[in-house]
Amino acid sequence: MSEQASHTYAPPPAGLPGLSSERKIPTHVPEGLVFDPPFEVANALTDPFSLNKKTYEELPPVFWWPRARPGRFDGTWVVTHYDDIRNVYQKEELYSTEGTANFQSLVGETWPMLPIAVDPPEHGKYRILLNPWFSPKAVAAMETNIRTTINDLIDGFQDKGEVDVAYDFGRVYPVRVFLDLMGFPQEKLDEFLDWGYSILHSRYKIEKIQYGVSSALVFLRDFIAKARENPVEGLASYIVHGKIEGRALTDDEVIGMVFFLWVAGLDTVAANTTLMMRRLALEPEIQATLRAKPELIPDAVEEFLRVQPVVNSSRLVKEDHEVRGVQIKKGDHILCYNIAGNFDDEEFDNPWELRFDRPSNRHFSLAGGPHRCLGSHLARRELRIALGEFLRRIPTFSLKPGVDHTVTPGLVATPHLHLVWDPKQKP
Amino acid sequence: MKLVIDAERCAGHARCNAVGGANLFPLNDDGYIGITELDVPPGQEALARRGARACPERVITILDDPDAEG
Ligand code: HEM
Ligand code: SF4
């Protein structure tokens, strides 16, 4: 393939765009370690993450990225090597999740996102409550329901020869699965889609985020009040009646948990679905391989997860210490750059190759350590069923000619992605 | 051949179980590893090795591997 991702990694010029003048780089950060690589830049490469190839290959393994995440930090350390990332995930005594995913605070809410924003040992008390609902065994029991949900959606477009796989498939099925899991009515689908989109795709437009959060809160508070009176089926009511260390949960704790399950488990699955289908549309030989050998699908999903790291976890540093000789201070932030670490050639042979026969595939797309993605087994199952059913029912597909398939690596993926096929052809 | 598992540091990826099978790598109801050691039945060494190697947390150690190099 002759595609070239071209950009340079010169240190940032003075007056870097996106930096306000009062945003200073801390004095303990050596000047030579400040870099502003074009993370998450939109591109139309077959492998959109390969834009970041040089981040791992050419930048120091630990560097300072002088970009702000509103409400969280003005700049952050970045670790790009696999072993350093594992270390950050595993050493909870050094690295805290405090403040992670705190966009509710952007709109004045004070409850913490649970269990993500609390550290062990407190964290474990909430995980113990939720784990049995997300174990491989519990998720296996959801198989039929997920399969039916996905096939209902495919019924709607199979004969049309066309679908917007991002908007009308990837965006929708995880929300349906979520509503069933929670015990929320399916009639709420359109509202949940609308609220979720407002929160996660408004790029810090405060009014839209506020609308999404407050609408969801009205629904949740009402649901909680009713479920306290009359328990119903499903995870949400179970959480309402959940206990930690013998005491009942507060409304804020219930909201923090339900809310985070919602925002964590929808766009992540949607982005992975869309990116996977896009790759298959651009590389029909991969479609052919998986159609001929559907038993490869679990390993294929694992490999797609590796090469599509849509989340790069951030941590707050709790103690002064050094990483590879670099002084890191208490109060700094540090980013686990899975976008680089999943392509570390000391861990993965030929990391830029998409291979379904890796002897071990210990990527951190679903994080690691105590905050290992609670929904990881559900996500894997959803992706396997989506991929399997799509290939079983839809013949060889490609991108609709002329459609824009530009991707923003990260959670955004593409908002729309039109696929076409010949409905008269057999899959 | 024997496996020793630091179950305290298991994070519940269940990759050992997915790759090496539920017989060698049983999970508890929370989806975390259910054992701290295992005498690998004869003939299952290769599977045990693959399951151990799949663990992203690296909490599974292999002892007395008959085929270990060096
Ligand atoms: C492919 C899809 C998914 C990806 C890539 C993904 C990724 C992640 C990552 C990287 C983390 C750790 C965040 C951090 O370390 O700061 C995480 C945590 C979490 N995820 Fe997922 N996730 C996915 C699907 C899901 C689903 C389907 C659910 C549930 C419905 C879910 C629920 C959670 C929860 C509750 C946490 C917090 C765990 C804790 O703090 O203990 N995720 N996810
Ligand atoms: S793969 Fe490792 S962390 Fe995951 S369940 Fe098995 S032992 Fe635990």
Side-chain angles (χ1 to χ4, degrees), chain A residues 295-343:
Chain A
E295 68 277 12
L296 289 179
I297 284 177
D299 285 335
V301 164
E302 214 51 46
E303 179 71 342
F304 281 121
L305 282 167
R306 180 184 74 86
V307 303
Q308 301 166 358
V310 299
V311 184
N312 298 298
S313 309
S314 167
R315 295 288 183 269
L316 176 67
V317 176
K318 293 210 267 195
E319 305 284 341
D320 291 3
H321 66 286
E322 290 190 355
V323 177
R324 291 186 189 252
V326 175
Q327 177 69 58
I328 311 283
K329 290 249 194 226
K330 182 177 175 177
D332 290 350
H333 282 84
I334 191 161
L335 198 62
C336 292
Y337 220 56
N338 289 325
I339 249 176
N342 278 359
F343 304 93

Side-chain angles (χ1 to χ4, degrees), chain A residues 189-201:
Chain A
L189 178 71
D190 289 337
E191 281 166 275
F192 266 85
L193 284 169
D194 177 35
W195 303 334
Y197 211 78
S198 304
I199 295 172
L200 296 165
H201 294 283

